[in-house]
Amino acid sequence: DGGITQSPKYLFRKEGQNVTLSCEQNLNHDAMYWYRQDPGQGLRLIYYSQIVNDFQKGDIAEGYSVSREKKESFPLTVTSAQKNPTAFYLCASNDQNQPQHFGDGTRLSIL
Amino acid sequence: GNSVTQMEGPVTLSEEAFLTINCTYTATGYPSLFWYVQYPGEGLQLLLKATKADDKGSNKGFEATYRKETTSFHLEKGSVQVSDSAVYFCALGMNTGFQKLVFGTGTRLLVSP
């Protein structure tokens, strides 16, 4: 089955630590996205990538970093500079003029 | 800038009741409009979409019509089921390339037996 796999489902971070969230897709989509979901705020775009080795900042990129070394993979690193990282993180992908498909998300909590 | 406004929830209904969740948008140009559904602990699933004015999207008994004159895309279902309990997100994407989405804040629907 084609789809988007996010791992892990739950992740805990200690203060001052960087953590990396995985997103893999086997849909052969060109574009991939990372969103952050907080209660009552909907989804906000962190970073997106339309092609391998290229990515752009979204609306709330501060404290996050990404890479796109392979078409199927778009990992997100939550750095220690992100002061309020507790949230539900969603990865998505699509091709041009097509709806976005979403993974099942990773819930990040601070210890 | 582009934005989406949804009615606040939760919306609480009894099984077989009629559902309406309001969604209005502000956009420069002519966006595509989407409804996504999120079940507890899961990601978002595309429920339906419409790409131009007067288009009606439909799926699983849900419908929404793209109304350019009122900049609205209200979600409706004639008879809800307990299994429809979820959070519903309205979103817009501009019809250029990869369509970055702008989401509303979501509306939680609770359906009781």
Side-chain angles (χ1 to χ4, degrees):
Chain A
D1 271 332
I4 300 176
T5 301
Q6 289 189 241
S7 61
K9 192 170 179 66
Y10 300 95
L11 188 58
F12 299 91
R13 193 191 91 170
K14 295 181 181 179
E15 295 286 346
Q17 251 185 356
N18 294 351
V19 290
T20 297
L21 284 61
S22 170
C23 178
E24 303 278 332
Q25 54 102 357
N26 61 5
L27 300 167
N28 201 34
H29 286 164
D30 287 319
M32 298 186 73
Y33 309 78
W34 274 106
Y35 293 91
R36 171 181 170 137
Q37 185 179 16
D38 295 282
Q41 293 194 45
L43 277 70
R44 292 181 290 168
L45 183 64
I46 304 172
Y47 269 98
Y48 64 102
S49 167
Q50 297 178 354
I51 194 170
V52 173
N53 292 323
D54 189 39
F55 47 83
Q56 288 78 41
K57 293 181 179 180
D59 301 317
I60 55 165
E62 185 175 350
Y64 300 97
S65 65
V66 293
S67 63
R68 187 87 186 277
E69 297 176 1
K70 298 184 296 183
K71 185 176 185 178
E72 61 269 25
S73 178
F74 191 40
L76 173 74
T77 296
V78 184
T79 75
S80 57
Q82 171 50 242
K83 297 306 179 188
N84 185 23
T86 297
F88 191 50
Y89 291 87
L90 287 162
C91 179
S93 70
N94 69 345
D95 280 331
Q96 289 198 46
N97 300 316
Q98 295 299 316
Q100 290 182 21
H101 294 257
F102 284 80
D104 281 341
T106 293
R107 188 166 299 281
L108 175 62
S109 302
I110 301 304
L111 292 178
Chain B
N2 299 333
S3 66
V4 174
T5 302
Q6 285 182 240
M7 61 188 293
E8 288 196 21
V11 173
T12 304
L13 295 173
S14 297
E15 204 165 24
E16 299 184 3
F18 185 85
L19 169 71
T20 299
I21 300 178
N22 291 338
C23 171
T24 57
Y25 68 90
T26 302
T28 52
Y30 305 98
S32 290
L33 300 173
F34 306 87
W35 277 101
Y36 281 86
V37 58
Q38 184 179 36
Y39 298 101
E42 297 183 8
L44 275 66
Q45 299 174 27
L46 179 66
L47 182 58
L48 52 85
K49 67 174 183 176
T51 58
K52 60 183 186 297
D54 299 325
D55 268 3
K56 177 186 281 188
S58 62
N59 186 26
K60 299 180 181 179
F62 291 89
E63 292 183 342
T65 301
Y66 189 142
R67 301 285 188 202
K68 184 182 173 186
E69 63 276 14
T70 54
T71 62
S72 65
F73 193 55
H74 305 322
L75 183 68
E76 297 182 335
K77 187 176 185 182
S79 175
V80 293
Q81 306 299 312
V82 172
S83 57
D84 293 327
S85 298
V87 180
Y88 292 82
F89 290 91
C90 185
L92 70 81
M94 299 312 296
N95 289 320
T96 53
F98 290 99
Q99 289 194 356
K100 285 188 297 174
L101 294 177
V102 175
F103 285 88
T105 54
T107 303
R108 182 175 299 277
L109 171 65
L110 300 170
V111 181
S112 56

